[in-house]
């Protein structure tokens, strides 16, 4: 059997395995490959992840498992790879440096490297170190040819042919210094925005709440800023997102809300707030936790030009019929396999090294 097909088979089995953990109360299913060996162990890893990182609440862990279980089907994997010539791949050793802001945030890079027959050496964030090593053991058991092709390190990266590194603007400079001579993808800070026209339905605005609050806004695909027409009435927005009010019951979120509110009040910044989210007028894109920046616009065409100029700071633009390549309300944290971070085609990169 072709190597690619074997690798696809292994990840399809993993997708079926993860489907059991899509709800906050996992449901063990019959007929799942290697379940007797791995089910209870993964329950324990989820518990460890939740205990280790206060942002990784069970609801968000379950959401992440669900998105990957939906993505890892034979149909989706074959459709994703169908546009590439994968017949002549030279196996290489690819280093992947992962962020730890949301659960399994580096899994897409991990998946792409292994599907194409390369070996991966993973340097994880300490914030998200429990899940992927365990899932790697599952993959090695599902497809023995993957053994020896997956490794993890906490030490200095050595003996690799290419690197995919995700971090901040500051770490990107470090990455460029150390890895600039190797084929690389280096990702920096990005945030996502939404463009409102004032004609949105209550359902669309409620869905926007998902884009804002999922993972507490910690992902680069989370909406951290909205653009609204001048004289926009925020009452409809606040009414629609009221469904997410229970987020303030999460201690780490509440602490950030209280701290940032105190800073704004002491600095005499004007803001709007509803008890669990603050709206602050600001030209920046990276808003603090529990804060959503907003900026008004007068002319839609001028706003499109601004978004184009700032495109390297933006991951997603959420809107309805405003701009080419937009993301629909409520869908930022449900990317397709072909929705590449920073718009850089990882598969194309891995085929060229």
């Amino acid at each position: 059997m072709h190597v690619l097909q074997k690798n696809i088979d292994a990840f399809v089995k993993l997708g079926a395995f993860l489907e059991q953990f899509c709800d906050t109360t996992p449901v063990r299913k019959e007929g799942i490959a290697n379940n007797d060996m791995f089910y209870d162990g993964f329950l324990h890893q989820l518990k460890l992840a939740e205990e280790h990182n206060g942002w990784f609440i069970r609801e968000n862990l379950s959401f992440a498992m669900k998105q990957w279980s939906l993505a890892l089907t034979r149909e989706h994997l074959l459709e994703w790879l169908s546009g590439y010539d994968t017949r002549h791949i030279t196996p290489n050793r690819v280093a992947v440096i992962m962020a730890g802001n949301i659960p399994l945030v580096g899994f897409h890079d991990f998946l792409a490297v292994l599907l194409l027959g390369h070996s991966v050496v993973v340097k994880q964030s300490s914030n998200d170190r429990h899940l992927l090593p365990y899932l790697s053991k599952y993959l090695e058991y599902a497809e023995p040819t993957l053994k020896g092709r997956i490794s993890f390190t906490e030490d200095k990266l050595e003996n690799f042919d290419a690197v995919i590194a995700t971090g901040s603007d500051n770490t990107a400079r470090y990455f460029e210094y150390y890895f600039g001579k190797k084929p690389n993808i280096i990702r920096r800070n990005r945030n996502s925005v939404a463009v409102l026209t004032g004609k949105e339905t209550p359902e669309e605005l409620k869905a926007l709440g998902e884009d804002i609050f999922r993972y507490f806004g910690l992902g680069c695909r989370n909406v951290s800023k909205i653009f609204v027409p001048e004289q926009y009435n925020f009452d409809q927005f606040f009414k629609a997102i009221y469904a997410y009010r229970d987020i303030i019951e999460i201690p780490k979120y509440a602490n950030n809300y209280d701290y940032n509110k105190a800073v704004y009040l002491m600095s005499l910044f004007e803001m709007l707030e509803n008890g669990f989210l603050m709206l602050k007028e600001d030209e920046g894109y990276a808003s603090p936790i529990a804060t959503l920046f907003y900026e008004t616009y007068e002319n839609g065409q001028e706003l499109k030009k601004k978004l184009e100029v700032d495109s390297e700071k933006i991951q997603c633009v959420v809107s309805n019929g405003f701009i080419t390549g937009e993301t629909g309300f409520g869908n930022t944290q449900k990317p397709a396999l072909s929705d590449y971070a920073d718009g850089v085609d990882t598969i194309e990169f891995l085929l060229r090294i």
Side-chain angles (χ1 to χ4, degrees), residues 56 64 99-106 128 214-215 217-220 222 333:
F56 285 16
N101 47 329
I102 66 176
L104 291 179
V105 68
D128 182 21
R214 175 62 61 190
Y215 301 127
L218 290 169
C220 64
N222 284 107
Q333 292 296 352

Side-chain angles (χ1 to χ4, degrees), residues 32-105:
I32 303 296
N34 311 315
N35 225 21
D36 288 344
M37 185 173 294
F38 288 97
Y39 181 88
D40 290 337
F42 193 58
L43 274 181
H44 183 61
Q45 295 304 315
L46 288 168
K47 184 171 181 288
L48 289 176
E50 188 175 9
E51 291 172 351
H52 178 72
N53 186 338
W55 295 117
F56 285 16
I57 63 170
R58 183 54 62 98
E59 180 186 343
N60 284 336
L61 287 166
S62 301
F63 181 87
M65 299 312 116
K66 181 175 182 178
Q67 298 316 306
W68 280 114
S69 73
L70 291 171
L72 296 177
T73 66
R74 192 174 308 280
E75 178 185 3
H76 286 149
L77 291 170
L78 289 174
E79 180 185 1
W80 177 32
L81 298 176
S82 64
Y84 303 93
D85 183 356
T86 58
R87 292 173 297 175
H88 308 292
I89 300 171
T90 302
N92 283 292
R93 184 171 163 85
V94 181
V96 177
I97 302 173
M98 298 182 176
N101 47 329
I102 66 176
L104 291 179
V105 68

Side-chain angles (χ1 to χ4, degrees), residues 229-281:
E230 291 187 343
Q231 309 305 317
Y232 181 77
N233 181 359
F234 283 102
D235 288 348
Q236 56 187 336
F237 171 77
F238 277 126
K239 184 177 180 181
I241 65 166
Y242 188 66
Y244 301 90
R245 62 192 178 277
D246 288 347
I247 195 170
I248 199 66
E249 302 300 325
I250 306 299
K252 284 180 77 73
Y253 184 89
N255 290 341
N256 277 268
Y257 179 88
D258 291 341
Y259 174 81
N260 288 320
K261 183 176 179 179
V263 169
Y264 294 153
L265 290 173
M266 287 189 295
S267 303
L268 302 180
F269 288 136
E270 291 187 13
M271 62 170 179
L272 303 169
E273 57 110 4
N274 64 352
F276 61 93
L277 180 70
M278 290 169 283
L279 277 173
K280 178 178 179 288
E281 189 168 11

